[in-house]
Amino acid sequence: MVDCSHANSGKQHARQQEVWRSVIGQRAAGNRTLIGLMVEGYLLEGSQPITKNPADLRYGVSITDACVDWETTETMLRHGHQVMSCAHGPAVAADP
């Protein structure tokens, strides 16, 4: 299980997509020890500190770890699906 955030991205949330693509490529190339990925994602990119006045907080921005935004998360998931689908061929339904 690879955490695309934290140390693997150099604590730079925007690099999570680079880590994701690397791991997906390794898995597609046959590395079966890679069993999953974790991403820090939220509605909007980045993070913000908790303020004394909650009204100062921006909706959709993390108050913990910096995150990639919804669109980036979707792009990452679609990329992973496309690469892994090509690596394993089309899904075959089991015989009834």
Side-chain angles (χ1 to χ4, degrees):
M1 179 69 68
V2 176
D3 184 349
C4 293
S5 188
H6 305 107
N8 288 321
S9 65
K11 295 197 176 210
Q12 297 176 29
H13 69 280
R15 290 192 61 218
Q16 290 186 85
Q17 191 168 14
E18 178 183 335
V19 175
W20 175 275
R21 288 178 177 268
S22 174
V23 174
I24 292 292
Q26 292 173 55
R27 176 67 186 197
N31 185 339
R32 297 293 177 245
T33 63
L34 299 168
I35 60 167
L37 292 151
M38 296 185 297
V39 175
E40 294 280 355
Y42 202 50
L43 299 176
L44 301 175
E45 178 183 26
S47 67
Q48 63 185 329
I50 296 177
T51 61
K52 290 183 181 184
N53 182 359
D56 292 338
L57 294 173
R58 293 176 294 149
Y59 177 80
V61 178
S62 174
I63 57 170
T64 57
D65 294 327
C67 297
V68 294
D69 62 14
W70 185 266
E71 289 79 17
T72 301
T73 303
E74 178 184 11
T75 298
M76 292 164 68
L77 290 169
R78 290 185 183 279
H79 169 263
H81 179 264
Q82 178 184 16
V83 170
M84 295 309 296
S85 293
C86 290
H88 296 291
V92 177
D95 290 330

